[in-house]
Every structure is written in structure tokens, then in C-alpha cells.
């Protein structure tokens, strides 16, 4: 979010920075123009001083040449010519054949001025004076003079200068420092300008200028600071008023679990009504879901009670049928008829046991428990055993597996058929085991073993044939193959299980 806000404000910041940089460059150019104008003004005053000195000498030379020699006349001439000079100058005026006519007090023309070749202006070797020599068209010396460095410095000094600068008068290798003011700052740059003068002189200006002032730097940095501040303020506002309320709401929604009646929404302090409306919508949805879940739970509970009631009624009806069969068996005068009634009763009891165990009162709806089912079933079988098998012992070794109702019915009928056959064939003991199969998860091995199931034991052939057909059909209903071990009298079949209870 911070990056998005910064990117949105970036064009404005770039425009403001470019404008500030352009303004700083304009100020730099303006400073350069001002320094150039100051240098030109100083050079003009220096040129005027030299030219006017030459004009004054040439104007005074004819008058002095025709006047009688007199020191008083020379003094008055110098005094009258002084106001016409821009800077104090000492000079000497020469007449025909280089004869001295007049000179400033204490001034002596240089030795090389007596044999000049042409007019010239030059800096003295020590750099303290600026000398000039005047020669007429015939090559005759007209005059010579000099300006002191201090006088020229006052002449070229700028009227006003806000920066540190230095003015030099340069001619070849000779230099005359005229003015120097201030010291260059740490962050200032040197600006060098030159202006040519008469006689091969060059006036140099070295000024220390600031490429960018503190105010200009502030103007450049201010848009960047404003950009950062705007992005941070925008992010802070969005975080406080939008992101944090949404995060709180997301945590509240994430902590909601099916079955919770209400959604515990946090207190949202945000002027955005949409966020509060969103939270209210979540709360309404959770209430609707909770109401629907309650209705579904009630419907499932009603359906469960209804199914249990159906199974209970079926079980009761089967028990009524079993009781009727028992009454008919007891009232029958023929033992064969009584045995037939008892055989039918045992199968009806098997079905009743399955229905009773399928939806028992404390059953957790994981299926039918085989261990209680087989235990109750074998108890009924012993109770309805014929007189010849009253002493039969049924031994159980069962692991607590659960199966579906269809599998439970087939298992109940299969155990009933095998135990009944063992009773009719004179068995003294029947062993029923139920164990898991490691090689086939989801499958348990049901085995029934009895001495009467051995191949060496003779039993009525009609009974044996019917027994084989029934248990083969029941094994097919279990979708498994019935394994027979006639030497030990053991029959085993695989049973599909859905769960196993903890011991």
C-alpha cells in the first residue's frame, strides 16, 4: 500500500524537483551574468583611466613645448590635469627629440622609455605598478607614466559583491593582484571570467559562487519530503482506518467454527461504514448458517429416532414371530415339525439380533458391532439347541469390529447355519474367531471351527448338501471365498469391516 501511494504521488514529486533544479540553474546563470557585468565595468574603468591619461599627456605637451621653462608652470599644469584622471597617476611629458618638459613630483621615467619603439602598456616586474609609454607617429617619445597598484585596486573594486572573489591584472607572466575579498566556502565552486584590455592586458575575475544555495536545496528536497510525508500519512490513514479493522475482522471470521452460534466481531473504530456493514453481513451469515445447522441437526435427530423406531418395531415383530414359532414348536406332536419350527425360529432370532444391535440406544452410528451381535446370537442358539446338543460349548474370540447392516445379516445367518449344523452333527464345542488381516486393511477373517465340521465325521447327506449350498450362497453375499479345512474342521471367510473399537 505504501508503494502504491508513493508511485501515485511520484509524478508530482518529479515535476516539483525538476522545477526546483531548473530554478537553481537559472540562479547560477544569473550569478554568472552579474559577475560578467561586474568584470566588464571594472575593465572599462581601467581602460578609461589609461586612455584618458594618454589624452591628457598629449593635450598638455604642445602648451609646455612653446612655454618658457618654468617649474611653476609644470606644477600648475599637473594640478589642472589631476581632476581629469579616474585614478592618481604619475607621469612625465617629453618634447622634441625626447627632451623632458614636465614630470610629476618624485617620478622618473624608466630607462628604457628614452628609446621607445611604439606606445605600450606593461606591468612592472614586481607587479606593483602599471606603466605606459606614448610615442607619436614619428616614433618620438611623448610621455610616460605609471599607476600604483593600490590606486588601480580602488579603481576596479566593484561597487557591491555578495560573494568572495579575486581580481587579477595579467600580462604574460606578470601578475598584479588588485582585489581579494572573503574566503571560498566548503561547498562553493570557483567561477573564472576574463576580459581583454588595451596593450595586451587581461583582467581576470575569480569568484566563489554557490552552485546551489540552502534555500534552493530546501526547494529541491521539499517536494521529496512532501512525497514521503504524503505517502506515510496516506499509508498511516489507510492502515488505521482500513487495514487494521479488516485484519481484526479477518481474524474474527477465521476463528469462527461450524457450530458456533454467534460471530464474535471486534469493536471497529473506523469512519468507513462499508467495513461495519461487511462485519454485520458476516454476522448475519453466521446466524443464518447456525440456524440452518440447528434445523439440520434437529432433522437428523428426528430421522435417527425414526429409523431407530423402525428397527425397533422390526425387531419386536421378529421377536413376536420367533415367539409364535416357539409356541408352535412346543405344541407340535412331531419331533420333526418341532425341529423345523426351531430352525426357523433361530433364523428369525438372528435377524432380530441384527436389528437390535444396529441402532442400539448407545450406538455411535459407526455400524453394527460384530462382537456383541455374535455374543447375543450364540446365546440364543444355545438357548434353542435341540436336546442332543444341550451340552454344546460355544467359544468366542472376537475383536471389536464394526460392519454394515448387510454384512451383519449375512454374518448372522452364516454363524447360525454353521452352529446349527454342528449341533445336528453331534458337536461338543464350536469356536468362533474374528481377527484382522494385516495384508488386507479393511478386512477381518471370520472363522468357525468344530469337530463335527471335519471331513471324517459322517452326517445326514441331505442336511450336509443343504448346509453347503446355504453357506456358499452366504459367502457370495459377503463377496468373499469360503475357505474349508476339512482336516481341522475349520471354515473361514473374509468380512469387510468399516471400523474397529478401541479395547
Amino acid at each position: 500500500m505504501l508503494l502504491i501511494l508513493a508511485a501515485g504521488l511520484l509524478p508530482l514529486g518529479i515535476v516539483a524537483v525538476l522545477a526546483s533544479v531548473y530554478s537553481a540553474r537559472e540562479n547560477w546563470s544569473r550569478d554568472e551574468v552579474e559577475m560578467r557585468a561586474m568584470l566588464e565595468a571594472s575593465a572599462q574603468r581601467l581602460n578609461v583611466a589609461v586612455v584618458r591619461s594618454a589624452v591628457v599627456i598629449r593635450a598638455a605637451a604642445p602648451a609646455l613645448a612653446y612655454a618658457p621653462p618654468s617649474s611653476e608652470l609644470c606644477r600648475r599644469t599637473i594640478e589642472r590635469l589631476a581632476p581629469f584622471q579616474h585614478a592618481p597617476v604619475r607621469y612625465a611629458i617629453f618634447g622634441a627629440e625626447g627632451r623632458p618638459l614636465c614630470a610629476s613630483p618624485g617620478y622618473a621615467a624608466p630607462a628604457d622609455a628614452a628609446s621607445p619603439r611604439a606606445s605600450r602598456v606593461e606591468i612592472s616586474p614586481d607587479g606593483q605598478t602599471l606603466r605606459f609609454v606614448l610615442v607619436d607617429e614619428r616614433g618620438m617619445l611623448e610621455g610616460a607614466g605609471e599607476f600604483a597598484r593600490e590606486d588601480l585596486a580602488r579603481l576596479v573594486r566593484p561597487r557591491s559583491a555578495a560573494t568572495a572573489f579575486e581580481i587579477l591584472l595579467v600580462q604574460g607572466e606578470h601578475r598584479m593582484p588588485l582585489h581579494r575579498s572573503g574566503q571560498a566556502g566548503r561547498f562553493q565552486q570557483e567561477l573564472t571570467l576574463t576580459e581583454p584590455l588595451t596593450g595586451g592586458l587581461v583582467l581576470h575575475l575569480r569568484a566563489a559562487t554557490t552552485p546551489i544555495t540552502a534555500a534552493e536545496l530546501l526547494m529541491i528536497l521539499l517536494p521529496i519530503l512532501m512525497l514521503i510525508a504524503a505517502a506515510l500519512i496516506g499509508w498511516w490513514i489507510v492502515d488505521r482506518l482500513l487495514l487494521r479493522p479488516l485484519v481484526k475482522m479477518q481474524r474474527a471470521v477465521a476463528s469462527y467454527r461450524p457450530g458456533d452460534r454467534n460471530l464474535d466481531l471486534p469493536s471497529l473504530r473506523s469512519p468507513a461504514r462499508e467495513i461495519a456493514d461487511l462485519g454485520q453481513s458476516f454476522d448475519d451469515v453466521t446466524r443464518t448458517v447456525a440456524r440452518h445447522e440447528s434445523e439440520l441437526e434437529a432433522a437428523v435427530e428426528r430421522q435417527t429416532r425414526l429409523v431407530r423406531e423402525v428397527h425397533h418395531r422390526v425387531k419386536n415383530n421378529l421377536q413376536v414371530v420367533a415367539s409364535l414359532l416357539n409356541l408352535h414348536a412346543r405344541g407340535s406332536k412331531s419331533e420333526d415339525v418341532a425341529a423345523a419350527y426351531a430352525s426357523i425360529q433361530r433364523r428369525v432370532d438372528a435377524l432380530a439380533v441384527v436389528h437390535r444391535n444396529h441402532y442400539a440406544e448407545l450406538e455411535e452410528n459407526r455400524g453394527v458391532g460384530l462382537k456383541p451381535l455374535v455374543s447375543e446370537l450364540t446365546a440364543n442358539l444355545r438357548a434353542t439347541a435341540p436336546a442332543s446338543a444341550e451340552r454344546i460349548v460355544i467359544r468366542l474370540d472376537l475383536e471389536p469390529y464394526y460392519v454394515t447392516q448387510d454384512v451383519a445379516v449375512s454374518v448372522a445367518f452364516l454363524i447360525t447355519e454353521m452352529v446349527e449344523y454342528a449341533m445336528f452333527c453331534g458337536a461338543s464345542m464350536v469356536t468362533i474367531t474374528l481377527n484382522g488381516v494385516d495384508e488386507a486393511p479393511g478386512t477381518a477373517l471370520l472363522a468357525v471351527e468344530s469337530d463335527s465340521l471335519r471331513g471324517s465325521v459322517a452326517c445326514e447327506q441331505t442336511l450336509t448338501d443343504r448346509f453347503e449350498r446355504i453357506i456358499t450362497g452366504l459367502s457370495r453375499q459377503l463377496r468373499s471365498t469360503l475357505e474349508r479345512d476339512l482336516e481341522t474342521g475349520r471354515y473361514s471367510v473374509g468380512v469387510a469391516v468399516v471400523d474397529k473399537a478401541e479395547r
Side-chain angles (χ1 to χ4, degrees):
M1 183 63 69
L2 179 61
L3 293 178
I4 292 174
L5 292 174
L9 297 174
L10 184 60
L12 296 177
I14 292 176
V15 171
V17 170
L18 292 178
S20 301
V21 172
Y22 178 77
S23 176
R25 290 181 177 177
E26 288 292 323
N27 293 336
W28 168 267
S29 301
R30 186 181 66 251
D31 292 342
E32 184 177 359
V33 171
E34 290 179 358
M35 293 294 106
R36 174 71 65 180
M38 183 179 70
L39 179 63
E40 290 178 354
S42 299
Q44 184 178 7
R45 289 194 296 271
L46 187 58
N47 271 332
V48 169
V50 175
V51 172
R52 181 166 291 187
S53 298
V55 171
V56 168
I57 291 174
R58 284 174 175 166
L64 292 174
Y66 293 104
S70 173
S71 59
E72 186 66 20
L73 178 61
C74 179
R75 183 183 61 79
R76 288 199 302 271
T77 300
I78 292 175
E79 290 177 355
R80 290 176 181 176
L81 295 178
F84 295 97
Q85 305 296 325
H86 279 74
V89 58
R90 298 190 304 169
Y91 53 85
I93 302 174
F94 296 87
E97 298 179 358
R99 180 173 57 87
L101 298 179
C102 182
S104 298
Y107 175 71
D112 56 354
S115 56
R117 298 178 185 177
S119 298
R120 66 180 185 274
V121 180
E122 60 185 6
I123 300 174
S124 62
D126 58 2
Q128 295 300 313
T129 58
L130 177 63
R131 301 172 181 175
F132 62 91
V133 176
L134 299 178
V135 178
D136 60 10
E137 295 81 0
R138 298 172 299 170
M140 300 301 295
L141 179 63
E142 288 184 297
E146 66 180 11
F147 293 91
R149 184 181 66 81
E150 294 79 5
D151 297 332
L152 293 179
R154 286 191 294 271
L155 180 64
V156 301
R157 179 179 300 169
R159 297 295 182 266
S160 62
T163 58
F165 66 95
E166 180 183 15
I167 299 178
L168 297 174
L169 186 62
V170 180
Q171 186 182 44
E173 297 180 355
H174 300 291
R175 297 175 178 271
M176 178 187 292
L178 297 180
H179 185 75
R180 182 182 181 88
S181 65
Q183 292 289 335
R186 180 178 299 177
F187 301 103
Q188 290 184 322
Q189 293 183 356
E190 184 179 89
L191 176 63
T192 302
L193 301 175
T194 60
E195 185 68 23
L197 302 175
T198 183
L201 297 173
V202 178
L203 192 63
H204 283 254
L205 173 65
R206 296 176 181 173
T209 60
T210 304
I212 180 170
T213 62
E216 292 170 344
L217 181 60
L218 179 61
M219 292 300 296
I220 293 175
L221 295 178
L222 187 60
I224 300 177
L225 298 177
M226 291 175 62
L227 171 64
I228 297 174
L232 291 176
I233 293 173
W235 175 82
W236 182 83
I237 293 175
V238 171
D239 179 68
R240 288 284 181 175
L241 302 183
L242 181 62
L243 297 182
R244 291 194 179 186
L246 288 177
V247 169
K248 291 181 180 179
M249 185 176 299
Q250 185 270 336
R251 290 175 179 172
V253 174
S255 62
Y256 176 79
R257 293 292 180 269
D260 296 343
R261 297 300 179 185
N262 296 318
L263 178 62
D264 188 13
L265 290 176
S267 177
L268 301 178
R269 298 179 180 179
S270 174
R273 295 182 57 86
E274 293 79 1
I275 298 179
D277 294 341
L278 179 61
Q280 186 62 41
S281 300
F282 276 121
D283 186 62
D284 295 341
V285 169
T286 55
R287 292 178 184 273
T288 302
V289 171
R291 185 173 64 254
H292 289 175
E293 287 180 350
S294 299
E295 295 174 355
L296 290 175
E297 289 176 359
V300 171
E301 186 176 356
R302 289 193 301 270
Q303 185 70 20
T304 302
R305 288 200 300 267
L306 179 60
V307 174
R308 285 180 177 176
E309 181 66 20
V310 170
H311 281 273
H312 179 69
R313 291 180 181 273
V314 171
K315 186 262 299 181
N316 289 342
N317 292 335
L318 291 174
Q319 286 182 344
V320 170
V321 173
S323 299
L324 292 174
L325 291 173
N326 188 25
L327 291 175
H328 283 286
R330 290 181 180 180
S332 177
K333 298 180 179 181
S334 173
E335 293 184 1
D336 294 336
V337 174
Y341 276 125
S343 179
I344 297 173
Q345 178 190 354
R346 283 189 286 270
R347 285 151 183 80
V348 173
D349 283 339
L351 281 177
V353 170
V354 172
H355 281 281
R356 196 179 73 80
N357 281 272
H358 187 47
Y359 270 87
E361 183 178 356
L362 299 177
E363 200 267 325
E364 298 180 358
N365 204 20
R366 293 185 295 181
V368 180
L370 286 181
K371 187 172 183 178
L373 184 145
V374 174
S375 299
E376 185 176 356
L377 180 62
T378 54
N380 292 338
L381 289 173
R382 281 198 302 268
T384 60
S388 60
E390 289 181 353
R391 299 182 179 276
I392 189 172
V393 177
I394 301 177
R395 179 174 173 272
L396 302 179
D397 183 12
L398 307 173
E399 293 186 7
Y401 282 103
Y402 291 88
V403 296
T404 62
Q405 184 181 5
D406 294 338
V407 174
V409 171
S410 299
V411 170
F413 280 133
L414 183 64
I415 292 176
T416 300
E417 292 293 336
M418 288 186 176
V419 173
E420 186 184 66
Y421 179 75
M423 291 177 179
F424 290 153
C425 294
S428 60
M429 176 180 291
V430 177
T431 302
I432 302 174
T433 60
L434 180 66
N435 299 305
V437 180
D438 296 335
E439 296 78 8
T443 302
L445 184 64
L446 176 65
V448 179
E449 184 178 352
S450 176
D451 50 358
S452 63
L453 298 178
R454 298 174 182 173
S456 58
V457 177
C459 198
E460 186 178 347
Q461 187 63 37
T462 303
L463 183 62
T464 302
D465 293 341
R466 185 185 64 184
F467 169 72
E468 289 294 335
R469 288 196 305 271
I470 292 175
I471 63 175
T472 301
L474 290 175
S475 64
R476 290 175 181 173
Q477 290 184 2
L478 292 173
R479 297 182 181 180
S480 181
T481 302
L482 183 65
E483 300 291 338
R484 299 175 177 83
D485 188 353
L486 299 180
E487 293 184 1
T488 60
R490 175 185 174 88
Y491 284 67
S492 60
V493 64
V495 178
V497 296
V498 295
D499 198 3
K500 181 179 181 181
E502 296 182 0
R503 291 180 179 271

